Amino acid sequence: MAELPTQAPPPRPYAVALTGGIGSGKSAVADLFAELGVTVIDADAISHALTAPGGAALAPINAAFGAEVLCANTGLNRPLLRERVFADPAARRRLEAILHPMIRERMQAALAADQGPYALLAIPLLVETGQTGLADRVLVVDAPEALRIARVGRRSGLAPAAVRRIIASQATRAERLAAADDVIDNAGDRAALRPQVAALHARYLDLAGAHR
Ligand code: ADP
């Protein structure tokens, strides 16, 4: 009897995008998934590596913005470039046009190389950058604004007004929740995160099994 054709393996593992506004608890949640053995592919870490000394984004950034936004020690003069793009939306779009495709390409390569049943793509600006289609599922970490402001203040010493400005520049809570397949409620204490992560991990293992 002729052998049944074997199904081609999926091109990449099942992918869950993790997002949330500043101070919502994305890093805390990502750490808990990592503890369970899940690979976390972090857009911020990739962006940082691309713009660190020797990073692949430095040459195109130099070409677009001039050598004054580079720095021998840190790769990129982040405060100066941040100021430039904050004041100038066209400059911001130029920077994003350089960085976003490079970040996306590296995330996809890391995902394709991952051996786990599923991987987490931590993308803080997932909704803002219209990348919700990058993963199979979107997980949003949600917490009330007042708590986020207090937690970011404790974490990095930012004044409430500064955190509010960042929150205002990001997607609204409603926009993010509209994109969510799953939501982790981080209005409680840290201990309340663990059972929510454990339940989602079980669900993602099931979904990843069906994906194969
Ligand atoms: P994000 O990565 O979304 O900006 P973090 O995970 O860094 O948020 O959380 C913001 C700050 O709040 C961190 O210092 C973190 O340790 C703290 N934090 C997160 N969740 C809780 C919680 N449930 N209770 C108290 N502090 C928390």
mmCIF file of all heavy atoms in Angstrom, residues 45-64:
data_model
loop_
_atom_site.group_PDB
_atom_site.id
_atom_site.type_symbol
_atom_site.label_atom_id
_atom_site.label_comp_id
_atom_site.label_asym_id
_atom_site.label_seq_id
_atom_site.Cartn_x
_atom_site.Cartn_y
_atom_site.Cartn_z
ATOM 1 N N ALA A 45 14.730 44.118 23.677
ATOM 2 C CA ALA A 45 16.115 43.633 23.765
ATOM 3 C C ALA A 45 16.743 43.601 22.376
ATOM 4 O O ALA A 45 17.919 43.962 22.200
ATOM 5 C CB ALA A 45 16.147 42.242 24.405
ATOM 6 N N ILE A 46 15.961 43.197 21.377
ATOM 7 C CA ILE A 46 16.478 43.161 20.000
ATOM 8 C C ILE A 46 16.779 44.578 19.525
ATOM 9 O O ILE A 46 17.828 44.850 18.944
ATOM 10 C CB ILE A 46 15.469 42.450 19.065
ATOM 11 C CG1 ILE A 46 15.392 40.963 19.418
ATOM 12 C CG2 ILE A 46 15.856 42.646 17.591
ATOM 13 C CD1 ILE A 46 14.303 40.203 18.688
ATOM 14 N N SER A 47 15.867 45.502 19.798
ATOM 15 C CA SER A 47 16.071 46.892 19.402
ATOM 16 C C SER A 47 17.343 47.445 20.039
ATOM 17 O O SER A 47 18.127 48.152 19.396
ATOM 18 C CB SER A 47 14.850 47.719 19.828
ATOM 19 O OG SER A 47 15.062 49.070 19.563
ATOM 20 N N HIS A 48 17.544 47.098 21.298
ATOM 21 C CA HIS A 48 18.719 47.567 22.017
ATOM 22 C C HIS A 48 19.984 47.015 21.379
ATOM 23 O O HIS A 48 20.963 47.742 21.159
ATOM 24 C CB HIS A 48 18.613 47.161 23.486
ATOM 25 C CG HIS A 48 19.315 48.115 24.387
ATOM 26 N ND1 HIS A 48 20.627 47.962 24.746
ATOM 27 C CD2 HIS A 48 18.896 49.254 24.976
ATOM 28 C CE1 HIS A 48 20.988 48.956 25.527
ATOM 29 N NE2 HIS A 48 19.963 49.755 25.683
ATOM 30 N N ALA A 49 19.978 45.720 21.054
ATOM 31 C CA ALA A 49 21.164 45.087 20.453
ATOM 32 C C ALA A 49 21.461 45.692 19.081
ATOM 33 O O ALA A 49 22.623 45.873 18.707
ATOM 34 C CB ALA A 49 20.947 43.579 20.341
ATOM 35 N N LEU A 50 20.409 46.012 18.342
ATOM 36 C CA LEU A 50 20.603 46.583 17.000
ATOM 37 C C LEU A 50 21.271 47.950 17.049
ATOM 38 O O LEU A 50 21.910 48.376 16.087
ATOM 39 C CB LEU A 50 19.245 46.733 16.291
ATOM 40 C CG LEU A 50 18.608 45.460 15.732
ATOM 41 C CD1 LEU A 50 17.158 45.723 15.343
ATOM 42 C CD2 LEU A 50 19.398 44.946 14.535
ATOM 43 N N THR A 51 21.091 48.649 18.188
ATOM 44 C CA THR A 51 21.617 50.013 18.299
ATOM 45 C C THR A 51 22.754 50.118 19.313
ATOM 46 O O THR A 51 23.178 51.209 19.674
ATOM 47 C CB THR A 51 20.482 50.992 18.676
ATOM 48 O OG1 THR A 51 19.840 50.513 19.865
ATOM 49 C CG2 THR A 51 19.462 51.118 17.566
ATOM 50 N N ALA A 52 23.236 48.968 19.800
ATOM 51 C CA ALA A 52 24.413 48.942 20.678
ATOM 52 C C ALA A 52 25.665 49.022 19.786
ATOM 53 O O ALA A 52 25.560 48.882 18.566
ATOM 54 C CB ALA A 52 24.407 47.657 21.496
ATOM 55 N N PRO A 53 26.858 49.262 20.387
ATOM 56 C CA PRO A 53 28.071 49.307 19.556
ATOM 57 C C PRO A 53 28.179 48.067 18.671
ATOM 58 O O PRO A 53 27.999 46.945 19.145
ATOM 59 C CB PRO A 53 29.195 49.343 20.605
ATOM 60 C CG PRO A 53 28.567 49.979 21.797
ATOM 61 C CD PRO A 53 27.142 49.505 21.809
ATOM 62 N N GLY A 54 28.421 48.281 17.378
ATOM 63 C CA GLY A 54 28.504 47.159 16.437
ATOM 64 C C GLY A 54 27.153 46.724 15.898
ATOM 65 O O GLY A 54 27.069 45.829 15.049
ATOM 66 N N GLY A 55 26.071 47.322 16.378
ATOM 67 C CA GLY A 55 24.716 46.908 15.982
ATOM 68 C C GLY A 55 24.430 47.228 14.518
ATOM 69 O O GLY A 55 24.902 48.236 13.970
ATOM 70 N N ALA A 56 23.601 46.363 13.912
ATOM 71 C CA ALA A 56 23.355 46.467 12.465
ATOM 72 C C ALA A 56 22.535 47.701 12.081
ATOM 73 O O ALA A 56 22.513 48.089 10.913
ATOM 74 C CB ALA A 56 22.641 45.200 11.987
ATOM 75 N N ALA A 57 21.858 48.332 13.057
ATOM 76 C CA ALA A 57 21.037 49.502 12.711
ATOM 77 C C ALA A 57 21.835 50.801 12.716
ATOM 78 O O ALA A 57 21.341 51.835 12.267
ATOM 79 C CB ALA A 57 19.853 49.622 13.677
ATOM 80 N N LEU A 58 23.069 50.750 13.224
ATOM 81 C CA LEU A 58 23.822 52.008 13.366
ATOM 82 C C LEU A 58 24.150 52.642 12.012
ATOM 83 O O LEU A 58 24.038 53.868 11.868
ATOM 84 C CB LEU A 58 25.108 51.785 14.173
ATOM 85 C CG LEU A 58 24.901 51.438 15.649
ATOM 86 C CD1 LEU A 58 26.243 51.306 16.350
ATOM 87 C CD2 LEU A 58 24.038 52.488 16.352
ATOM 88 N N ALA A 59 24.522 51.830 11.028
ATOM 89 C CA ALA A 59 24.888 52.401 9.723
ATOM 90 C C ALA A 59 23.700 53.101 9.065
ATOM 91 O O ALA A 59 23.811 54.281 8.675
ATOM 92 C CB ALA A 59 25.491 51.330 8.814
ATOM 93 N N PRO A 60 22.526 52.437 8.956
ATOM 94 C CA PRO A 60 21.397 53.159 8.360
ATOM 95 C C PRO A 60 20.927 54.361 9.192
ATOM 96 O O PRO A 60 20.481 55.366 8.622
ATOM 97 C CB PRO A 60 20.288 52.094 8.237
ATOM 98 C CG PRO A 60 20.742 50.926 9.024
ATOM 99 C CD PRO A 60 22.228 51.000 9.137
ATOM 100 N N ILE A 61 21.064 54.289 10.509
ATOM 101 C CA ILE A 61 20.683 55.440 11.340
ATOM 102 C C ILE A 61 21.665 56.592 11.104
ATOM 103 O O ILE A 61 21.262 57.757 10.976
ATOM 104 C CB ILE A 61 20.605 55.043 12.840
ATOM 105 C CG1 ILE A 61 19.393 54.145 13.073
ATOM 106 C CG2 ILE A 61 20.530 56.288 13.725
ATOM 107 C CD1 ILE A 61 19.268 53.599 14.485
ATOM 108 N N ASN A 62 22.925 56.256 10.986
ATOM 109 C CA ASN A 62 23.951 57.259 10.675
ATOM 110 C C ASN A 62 23.626 57.934 9.339
ATOM 111 O O ASN A 62 23.664 59.169 9.220
ATOM 112 C CB ASN A 62 25.319 56.553 10.631
ATOM 113 C CG ASN A 62 26.463 57.509 10.344
ATOM 114 O OD1 ASN A 62 26.284 58.727 10.399
ATOM 115 N ND2 ASN A 62 27.621 56.971 10.024
ATOM 116 N N ALA A 63 23.263 57.120 8.351
ATOM 117 C CA ALA A 63 22.964 57.668 7.021
ATOM 118 C C ALA A 63 21.747 58.589 7.063
ATOM 119 O O ALA A 63 21.697 59.613 6.374
ATOM 120 C CB ALA A 63 22.739 56.527 6.033
ATOM 121 N N ALA A 64 20.763 58.243 7.898
ATOM 122 C CA ALA A 64 19.520 59.021 7.914
ATOM 123 C C ALA A 64 19.605 60.243 8.823
ATOM 124 O O ALA A 64 18.966 61.264 8.556
ATOM 125 C CB ALA A 64 18.361 58.123 8.359
#
